[in-house]
Amino acid sequence: MLKQNRTIERGIIKQIRGNRAIVEIVKPETKDCKSCGSCMDIKNPFNLLEVDVVPGLDVGRRVVVQIVCPSPYKSMALLLLLPIVNLLAGSMIGQKITCIYPYSQNVRMLLCGFIFFALTIAVVSIYDKKIRNKKHSHRQIISIENTDNTLII
């Protein structure tokens, strides 16, 4: 359920800059390409990806790129389940604390549950901003093809 999605794409090296290479993904015209979703975060019309350079890489060479995308279930669990669990945990703790409104157990449970819920939402939003700044998928070259379509790596 929380496994990462791994996709294999074929491409051509268009440019090499230092230790990074620009790969143009060659998209097949099949129905499988529509359901994959790994190319959704490509923001340019030429399907260019930036990957790390491996030894033996030249401009114009055909390569096979592996794209690893994180599972969306982790985000859903953080956004939906964790605040509800902490709301219930806060209510349970509020039931035991007697220093806040010592004569009203319901008010304590409501107040502590709301505090735990709000803290969880704040922590999840900070985590979301931190993750959003990172790249969403990890891309790497797993093989280089010769002119006769044999793999080098």
Side-chain angles (χ1 to χ4, degrees):
M1 183 164 116
L2 295 177
K3 292 183 180 178
Q4 296 178 336
N5 183 19
R6 297 178 189 265
T7 306
I8 306 296
E9 296 287 344
R10 296 191 180 277
I12 301 171
I13 301 295
K14 290 296 181 183
Q15 190 177 40
I16 298 176
R17 281 188 248 148
N19 63 348
R20 303 294 284 172
I22 306 293
V23 178
E24 181 179 7
I25 299 297
V26 179
K27 286 189 175 181
E29 298 295 328
T30 63
K31 293 180 183 177
D32 295 336
C33 190
K34 292 179 183 176
S35 64
C36 167
S38 66
C39 297
M40 295 298 287
D41 59 347
I42 298 175
K43 303 291 186 217
N44 52 51
F46 301 109
N47 303 324
L48 300 177
L49 295 176
E50 190 171 338
V51 296
D52 291 331
V53 172
V54 296
L57 202 60
D58 297 325
V59 175
R61 276 261 168 109
R62 290 189 171 271
V63 293
V64 178
V65 178
Q66 178 181 10
I67 303 171
V68 180
C69 299
S71 173
Y73 298 115
K74 182 179 177 183
S75 298
M76 285 190 283
L78 281 175
L79 290 174
L80 299 174
L81 296 178
L82 192 61
I84 293 172
V85 168
N86 280 339
L87 175 72
L88 294 173
S91 295
M92 301 285 275
I93 290 172
Q95 187 178 20
K96 304 295 182 195
I97 296 176
T98 58
C99 62
I100 304 170
Y101 289 106
Y103 301 113
S104 179
Q105 182 179 6
N106 292 338
V107 172
R108 288 192 317 256
M109 288 176 63
L110 183 67
L111 185 63
C112 287
F114 178 73
I115 289 171
F116 272 57
F117 182 78
L119 286 175
T120 304
I121 294 296
V123 168
V124 168
S125 67
I126 290 170
Y127 178 75
D128 182 50
K129 287 178 186 176
K130 190 176 184 181
I131 292 297
R132 197 175 292 172
N133 291 338
K134 291 183 180 180
K135 289 185 178 179
H136 293 288
S137 60
H138 177 70
R139 304 162 182 148
Q140 69 180 26
I141 296 175
I142 57 172
S143 66
I144 302 171
E145 295 179 355
N146 274 338
T147 54
D148 57 352
N149 290 333
T150 59
L151 299 179
I152 295 176
I153 295 179

